[in-house]
Amino acid sequence: MMQQLKQCANLKLISDLDYYFARFVAEKEPEASAGLLLAVALLSNQTGQGDVCIELPAFAGKALFGSDNQPEIETLSAPRLSAWRQTIQACGQVASPGHRGLMVLDSADRLYLAKYWHFEATLAQALCERANRPIEVDLPRLQTGLQRLFSHHNNDIDWQQIAAAMAVLNSFSVISGGPGTGKTTTVVKLLALLVEQGGDKPLRIALAAPTGKAAARLSESIKEKKGELACADAVREAIPDEASTLHRLLGVMPGKVGFRHHRDNPLHLDVLVVDEASMVDLPMMFRLLEALPSHARLILLGDKDQLASVEAGSVLGDICNAAWRESYSARICEQLQLLTGAELTPLKQLDSPLNDCIALLRKSYRFDSAGGIGLLAMAVNAGDAQQALASFDDLFNDNIAIETVAVGELPRRLAQQGREHYRHYLACDNPLDALQAFNRFRILSAQREGPFGVEQLNQSIETALNQQGLIDNRQPFYAGRPIMITRNDYGLTLFNGDIGLIWPDGENSGRLRAFFVMPDGRVRKILPNRLPPHETVYAMTVHKSQGSEFEQVLLVLPDEISPLISRELLYTGITRAKETVTVWARPTLFEQAVKRRMTRVSGLVEALTNDG
């Protein structure tokens, strides 16, 4: 079996890591059966693709790794479920839940790496404990604050007000909503309410996000929004407006595994707000909950319909899938009516302790419901491929378009896009204007490799701009080169996802520097040779674009469906745009993508329900 798995690794059907993990188990278990080694390699493979575990029934009796399409190797098929379960249970490296082992097999035939089972089980327990923790609330003060901070223009339910009230009533809360639904506006008002609840006792509040770029945007938004609050100056001043990355919050220790803050050295906080929570993977969410004091409130902000984290798990989506039921318990509904006047129909049955902790913002202030981008995003999110394609044909939706662009046409079409959209920033007089002009437009791709991947797209655009005389790329650092940081550098305060430009420094004889816009709007410059790892970014992946906004977006899809192409990817890419979206894709592939949901396998939904 190991020889066949080696062939699979050579053919890139599995990774080298998958092969070596199976070999490690084979060395520990000399009598390991072929079925066991297949399960081990499969577990490693699926975890690498973002799943927390594998569900044996989904693979039992089937060909694995696409080996049935490779004539040069024997097809690798999993045993039938009962036999497969028995051979896995017999392995000394596999334990039942709660026992020590390299892997864990639970009663639902889910096989985990032991650490992921621990992360998931501990996280579920911690969330449920927080959801059940009673909170002392000054209801009259809360009611007064809600009426002052949220102004009603009609008799419709104000879901932002509902979300803020719900979050004050709970130790744990999730506020989810699409782009432009006012998540930051809501949380700023929520923080004002919490400060008011504290009275004379100051609250220790922290703001955080998964990436430096997302943290900078959160800082900027909070700073802008809190100046508009209808509250006392002392309350406004108590609301922080500097966000950090989760890594910095927990305390990265260079050269060491783990963080400075953990269960035995918790964070000194009363309230933690985490933005862009859909990007937080299972291990990070586990470590965050582990380091959060038991009395502290946790507020997660994010869009449950966006792409999940790059690493394992889809925690925000799983929490919402387990707990969001369009309403709340009779107790919370009664309190919400008292506080806001909203009449909600209570749930007849609570199927998760988290049912009263989730709020969904439903009105987008960015996309008019009759606008092209909004209608397209809604259709994609609903999985309505027919309506999504029809929206492109509506003459009133002149801000969205779909075009079929063949591989052979790419260089010419990309040269056209470069000339049309990038010559403006290259003609600017200073780096701030150039950065602002550059960030109005972005090319997004579903993947990194291949003719439609960002690596090839960036190379093609760079070549085209050079041929047009707009840049001179004979040197790695050339004037006008856009760069994206790919690894956090806390010393330079540059973070994964930060975008800058190589530009002549007018204050230093025109020498080239890397310029970045800071959260306060100032521009900072850095010597190019001091930059942390980075890459050219005329085009970027949809994953990397999360948390960003651009006036215009060109979304480039490959000419064949792949595991990366999904409804969530389309929705995320489309909603990065504020004004126009153009999609390069065959309509049939676009239709397939709308119908295809990205699913991450885990047991978290079940663990968060009463039956879990």
Side-chain angles (χ1 to χ4, degrees):
M1 175 52 64
M2 291 310 305
Q3 181 59 38
Q4 291 169 286
L5 289 175
K6 181 63 175 176
Q7 287 179 302
C8 286
N10 292 336
L11 292 168
K12 305 300 181 185
L13 301 179
I14 62 174
S15 71
D16 289 339
L17 178 62
D18 303 336
Y19 166 74
Y20 283 112
F21 183 53
R23 194 172 84 171
F24 172 79
V25 172
E27 291 171 352
K28 292 284 185 180
E29 298 278 327
E31 303 299 319
S33 67
L36 172 65
L37 297 178
L38 279 175
V40 170
L42 180 64
L43 176 59
S44 174
N45 183 262
Q46 295 301 116
T47 303
Q49 295 181 41
D51 290 338
V52 175
C53 56
I54 58 171
E55 295 175 329
L56 298 183
F59 297 98
K62 298 178 181 177
L64 303 180
F65 313 126
S67 57
D68 52 338
N69 295 320
Q70 299 291 332
E72 57 266 59
I73 61 173
E74 181 182 343
T75 298
L76 298 178
S77 295
R80 294 191 180 278
L81 180 59
S82 59
W84 206 12
R85 183 192 303 120
Q86 288 178 353
T87 193
I88 292 171
Q89 288 174 329
C91 173
Q93 304 300 314
V94 178
S96 57
H99 295 80
R100 295 178 64 87
L102 182 64
M103 292 165 282
V104 169
L105 181 65
D106 71 7
S107 59
D109 289 325
R110 287 186 291 248
L111 182 64
Y112 293 80
L113 292 173
K115 66 176 182 178
Y116 282 117
W117 180 87
H118 175 67
F119 291 158
E120 185 178 274
T122 308
L123 176 63
Q125 181 180 359
L127 291 175
C128 290
E129 287 176 355
R130 286 181 181 276
N132 288 323
R133 183 172 300 126
I135 294 287
E136 289 187 18
V137 178
D138 184 334
L139 292 176
R141 180 175 290 185
L142 175 57
Q143 183 182 36
T144 301
L146 287 166
Q147 291 173 352
R148 177 174 16 92
L149 290 165
F150 295 88
S151 55
H152 288 280
H153 301 292
N154 50 45
N155 293 324
D156 293 340
I157 293 175
D158 185 341
W159 292 106
Q160 292 186 5
Q161 187 184 47
I162 293 289
M166 178 276 301
V168 174
L169 296 170
N170 287 288
S171 176
F172 168 69
S173 56
V174 173
I175 300 176
S176 179
T181 52
K183 294 186 290 294
T184 309
T185 299
T186 303
V187 84
V188 170
K189 295 179 180 180
L190 165 58
L191 291 175
L193 294 170
L194 290 175
V195 171
E196 291 174 353
Q197 284 287 311
D200 296 331
K201 180 185 176 183
L203 285 181
R204 297 169 296 183
I205 302 171
L207 309 172
T211 67
K213 178 177 61 176
R217 286 199 61 219
L218 178 60
S219 299
E220 186 179 359
S221 297
I222 296 283
K223 198 171 294 183
E224 175 189 346
K225 301 293 183 185
K226 79 174 187 177
E228 305 168 357
L229 289 174
C231 65
D233 289 342
V235 172
R236 187 180 295 108
E237 290 168 5
I239 300 173
D241 53 27
E242 290 297 327
S244 72
T245 64
L246 292 175
H247 285 82
R248 170 164 276 189
L249 174 77
L250 292 175
V252 173
M253 296 184 290
K256 296 183 179 180
V257 177
F259 295 99
R260 187 172 295 109
H261 291 288
H262 44 74
R263 182 180 57 193
D264 299 322
N265 181 31
L267 294 159
H268 303 295
L269 291 177
D270 300 307
V271 179
L272 174 60
V273 176
V274 179
D275 196 15
E276 297 293 348
S278 64
M279 300 168 66
V280 183
D281 57 44
L282 175 64
M284 176 56 78
M285 194 67 82
F286 161 80
R287 292 187 173 95
L288 193 65
L289 266 292
E290 187 183 47
L292 198 62
S294 59
H295 75 273
R297 293 174 183 265
L298 175 61
I299 302 162
L300 302 181
L301 305 178
D303 186 345
K304 67 182 180 63
D305 297 316
Q306 276 194 186
L307 280 168
S309 57
V310 175
E311 304 300 330
S314 55
V315 178
L316 185 70
D318 284 348
I319 291 172
C320 292
N321 288 335
W324 175 240
R325 295 296 178 267
E326 300 287 333
S327 189
Y328 304 102
S329 67
R331 179 182 64 86
I332 291 290
C333 286
E334 183 178 339
Q335 288 182 316
L336 290 175
Q337 183 172 3
L338 170 69
L339 294 167
T340 70
E343 296 185 15
L344 302 175
T345 303
L347 295 170
K348 294 180 179 179
Q349 177 183 347
L350 298 184
D351 49 13
S352 169
L354 274 60
N355 280 147
D356 284 342
C357 302
I358 317 293
L360 183 64
L361 304 181
R362 310 172 189 205
K363 177 179 173 58
S364 176
Y365 297 89
R366 183 191 304 174
F367 302 130
D368 186 310
S369 60
I373 297 176
L375 287 174
L376 177 60
M378 286 170 58
V380 168
N381 204 19
D384 191 338
Q386 185 175 357
Q387 180 58 44
L389 287 172
S391 64
F392 289 115
D393 296 327
D394 191 326
L395 295 178
F396 291 101
N397 297 337
D398 58 356
N399 60 345
I400 59 174
I402 186 168
E403 303 174 32
T404 300
V405 178
V407 175
E409 295 180 90
L410 272 176
R412 178 181 63 82
R413 296 298 302 275
L414 287 170
Q416 200 175 50
Q417 291 292 320
R419 184 168 57 250
E420 180 179 346
H421 293 286
Y422 289 140
R423 60 184 175 85
H424 301 293
Y425 91 85
L426 291 167
C428 288
D429 295 326
N430 61 75
L432 177 58
D433 289 347
L435 277 162
Q436 291 174 340
F438 176 74
N439 283 322
R440 292 190 188 111
F441 169 76
R442 189 70 81 251
I443 298 174
L444 304 180
S445 172
Q447 54 196 35
R448 291 195 58 82
E449 300 175 350
F452 294 89
V454 292
E455 293 176 355
Q456 185 59 53
L457 295 177
N458 277 314
Q459 186 176 331
S460 296
I461 294 169
E462 193 175 58
T463 299
L465 293 176
N466 185 66
Q467 291 173 346
Q468 294 164 15
L470 295 172
I471 62 170
D472 181 355
N473 65 344
R474 285 177 293 182
Q475 298 297 324
F477 293 111
Y478 57 83
R481 181 190 172 197
I483 57 172
M484 180 170 63
I485 303 302
T486 57
R487 191 173 70 197
N488 294 339
D489 188 317
Y490 292 94
L492 290 174
T493 61
L494 288 175
F495 305 102
N496 186 3
D498 285 353
I499 290 178
L501 280 178
I502 305 299
W503 202 263
D505 183 2
E507 298 176 351
N508 195 16
S509 304
R511 290 184 173 87
L512 294 179
R513 297 289 185 265
F515 290 87
F516 297 84
V517 178
M518 306 308 292
D520 61 6
R522 293 183 298 110
V523 175
R524 62 180 299 213
K525 56 188 177 185
I526 295 172
L527 288 168
N529 60 10
R530 292 192 62 205
L531 288 169
H534 57 277
E535 61 189 22
T536 302
V537 69
Y538 295 105
M540 64 197 301
T541 62
V542 175
H543 261 292
K544 285 286 189 180
S545 76
Q546 285 180 271
S548 297
E549 295 176 3
F550 311 103
E551 290 177 8
Q552 300 171 296
V553 162
L554 170 60
L555 177 58
V556 179
L557 301 182
D559 53 359
E560 293 182 1
I561 200 74
S562 81
L564 296 172
I565 313 299
S566 66
R567 179 188 310 175
E568 290 79 6
L569 180 133
L570 293 183
Y571 171 77
T572 303
I574 290 164
T575 55
R576 297 312 90 204
K578 294 189 288 185
E579 295 181 4
T580 66
V581 172
T582 300
V583 180
W584 283 1
R586 288 186 291 107
T588 52
L589 183 138
F590 186 88
E591 182 179 10
Q592 286 178 279
V594 172
K595 293 178 179 178
R596 188 173 181 277
R597 295 215 65 166
M598 172 189 276
T599 56
R600 290 281 177 87
V601 179
S602 81
L604 186 57
V605 170
E606 183 178 316
L608 291 174
T609 63
N610 288 336
D611 295 330

